[in-house]
Amino acid sequence: MAGLTNGGPNVDVSLLYDINGLARHAPAAVDRAVALVGSYGIPLALVLLFLWCWHGTRRQDDATAAESFAALVWAPLAAALALLVNVPLRAFVARPRPSVAHSGLDVLAPYSGPGDFSFVSGHAGLAMALGVGLFIADRRLGLIGIGLALAEGLCRVYLGAHYPTDVIGGFALGTAVVLLPAPLAMALLTPVVRAVARSPRAGRLVRAKRCALPRPVDLAQPQAPHESDLAA
């Protein structure tokens, strides 16, 4: 714990200074942009990805749509669980923020005070949990979500809020909380989603309204004669 708490002349601290050092040479507008992207832009992009994935799953066949929708439900639940697990984990490790242990950092992300610890990064854990959960539902969109989570972690180090290992720990926590309980979560959620899909009204959440196709004409079955035929 001492290494995590106190830091030192190691790769973790060196990367912190290298990445955060970019902020000292960047224009103030770039710093503000990174802060906005990390705090609002990436979370908003993840929400939009979820909406796009939901839009696509509603047009799949019933079985696939139920499983994909269950994964979309599980992802935010797992992300919330990752935040809950992070509360005692931070208190147990009690690693001070980088600016407390090291000087010369350009701190662009405010924190609440001495009790606001650094390990693990809640932003990184939340973003990765959403990205991995999205990957379960749709691999293509999930890869984009995971890429956004990696960008979120880079933003946190750039802003001087976390060490790189804080971010890596957040990635590991978010991934583990999604994947380890996923089989049980999917087994519980999928039947519930299928029941919702059978509902006349709530079923629209899971599957899109399908237009009824015209009934095919059976050419082998004899058809009733028209009046003109009878008159003849």
Side-chain angles (χ1 to χ4, degrees):
M1 296 298 172
L4 273 180
T5 304
N6 300 323
N10 52 34
V11 176
D12 194 22
V13 178
S14 299
L15 283 175
L16 169 66
Y17 275 104
D18 289 341
I19 297 173
N20 180 255
L22 299 174
R24 292 196 300 270
H25 304 289
V30 174
D31 294 341
R32 288 193 296 269
V34 173
L36 287 173
V37 167
S39 299
Y40 305 104
I42 292 176
L44 177 60
L46 286 170
V47 171
L48 293 177
L49 278 179
F50 266 80
L51 292 176
W52 183 255
C53 184
W54 170 68
H55 176 76
T57 59
R58 293 175 70 242
R59 282 156 176 77
Q60 296 174 339
D61 61 89
D62 291 346
T64 306
E67 293 180 359
S68 299
F69 190 85
L72 291 179
V73 173
W74 168 238
L77 293 177
L81 180 60
L83 292 178
L84 290 176
V85 172
N86 192 23
V87 173
L89 181 60
R90 276 193 176 190
F92 176 73
V93 178
R95 185 185 199 183
R97 291 282 183 171
S99 58
V100 175
H102 304 282
S103 60
L105 294 173
D106 192 1
V107 182
L108 304 172
Y111 59 96
S112 57
D116 184 11
F117 299 119
S118 181
F119 186 89
V120 298
S121 170
H123 287 77
L126 177 65
M128 185 57 73
L130 293 175
V132 174
L134 187 62
F135 183 81
I136 297 177
D138 185 290
R139 292 193 176 184
R140 180 176 59 86
L141 295 179
L143 289 175
I144 298 175
I146 292 172
L148 289 173
L150 295 175
E152 177 68 36
L154 183 61
C155 288
R156 301 306 294 171
V157 180
Y158 179 94
L159 298 173
H162 289 285
Y163 295 93
T165 48
D166 297 339
V167 169
I168 295 173
F171 291 159
L173 176 63
T175 302
V177 169
V178 173
L179 293 183
L180 293 181
L184 177 60
M186 294 295 290
L188 295 175
L189 289 172
T190 302
V192 176
V193 171
R194 286 174 179 162
V196 172
R198 289 192 294 268
S199 172
R201 295 184 179 180
R204 301 286 181 84
L205 293 172
V206 182
R207 51 180 174 78
K209 182 179 180 180
R210 293 176 173 83
C211 298
L213 297 176
R215 186 175 179 180
V217 178
D218 189 357
L219 299 178
Q221 182 178 358
Q223 299 182 8
H226 295 283
E227 294 183 359
S228 58
D229 295 335
L230 293 176

